[in-house]
Amino acid sequence: GIRRYGTVTGVQTCALPISMNQKSLPLVRLHSACLTGDIFHSKKCDCGPQLNAAMTNMAVEGHGILLYLAQEGRNIGLTNKLRAYLLQDSGLDTVDANRALGYDDDEREYEIAAAMLRAIGCDKVRLMTNNPDKIASLERAGITVAEQVPLIVGLSPENINYLKTKANRSGHILPDTALAALDDTLRKK
């Protein structure tokens, strides 16, 4: 079942183990809460499609752990995330919008995720992510990432610039072919 964990801010975060088959390494997703993407299906980001694809992939494999982390808007909170959206609508990219609000590019922390994995008895994972910072953070916290499993979903005309910023300025691992294919599709319209 779902396991709840507190954080230093008192906000709850949770782990959802899916059919823990001890014969193989679990497929793990560290997913930061995204009200706009996960619940309201915003096209500005790829969060909702990533969450859905991760859960589907874990169910297909029959072995996985979803860590749903209370870190809305790269951990700047919902109100500031909405302020960042307004700045993005006026021409700033996601990195510059966060900086304009006085935040780092990404304020998320993954120590709680490592602690949650250890509490479940998991110290080696296959991590579904495009974000090398998640891999490095887990490794620093003592969790071995045996494999980075790409999660390339949710590309749309509405979020192409957001995804390009994640790739070009934040180092996310997004294949140029996926972004180029979307660019070509947009140019043909």
Side-chain angles (χ1 to χ4, degrees):
I2 295 176
R3 300 177 189 189
R4 293 183 339 183
Y5 299 84
T7 68
V8 291
T9 61
V11 178
Q12 291 292 318
T13 194
C14 66
L16 176 62
I18 297 174
S19 184
M20 296 298 288
N21 168 2
Q22 300 301 321
K23 294 180 184 175
S24 64
L25 291 177
L27 194 54
V28 172
R29 171 74 181 156
L30 309 184
H31 190 85
S32 297
C34 178
L35 180 70
T36 55
D38 298 344
I39 305 300
F40 299 122
H41 309 288
S42 170
K43 299 285 187 197
K44 286 183 177 260
C45 65
D46 55 346
C47 300
Q50 283 187 333
L51 176 61
N52 293 334
M55 292 175 58
T56 298
N57 292 346
M58 286 184 262
V60 166
E61 288 210 7
H63 185 45
I65 305 168
L66 170 68
L67 301 183
Y68 197 80
L69 307 171
Q71 300 189 119
E72 181 77 44
R74 290 195 203 106
N75 212 20
I76 65 172
L78 181 59
T79 300
N80 285 318
K81 176 182 171 177
L82 295 175
R83 288 181 181 131
Y85 273 5
L86 291 173
L87 292 171
Q88 290 171 40
D89 288 345
S90 71
L92 295 181
D93 67 25
T94 185
V95 169
D96 289 335
N98 274 23
R99 289 178 181 173
L101 292 171
Y103 295 101
D104 287 335
D105 303 0
D106 192 335
E107 295 274 337
R108 292 177 292 185
E109 298 175 1
Y110 300 106
E111 290 80 9
I112 185 76
M116 292 165 70
L117 289 168
R118 279 192 296 278
I120 293 170
C122 185
D123 62 359
K124 191 172 185 180
V125 301
R126 296 168 49 230
L127 188 64
M128 280 186 285
T129 188
N130 304 323
N131 184 347
D133 287 341
K134 287 183 182 180
I135 297 167
S137 292
L138 283 184
E139 293 271 350
R140 277 193 305 274
I143 303 295
T144 301
V145 178
E147 179 185 1
Q148 180 258 335
V149 179
L151 199 54
I152 313 295
V153 294
L155 283 74
S156 71
E158 294 85 2
N159 68 19
I160 184 72
N161 290 330
Y162 169 77
L163 295 172
K164 283 181 176 181
T165 299
K166 283 172 62 171
N168 297 330
R169 297 195 64 196
S170 301
H172 286 225
I173 306 162
L174 295 172
D176 291 337
T177 53
L179 296 173
L182 184 55
D183 264 352
D184 288 344
T185 301
L186 294 175
R187 278 194 284 277
K188 290 177 185 174
K189 288 187 176 185

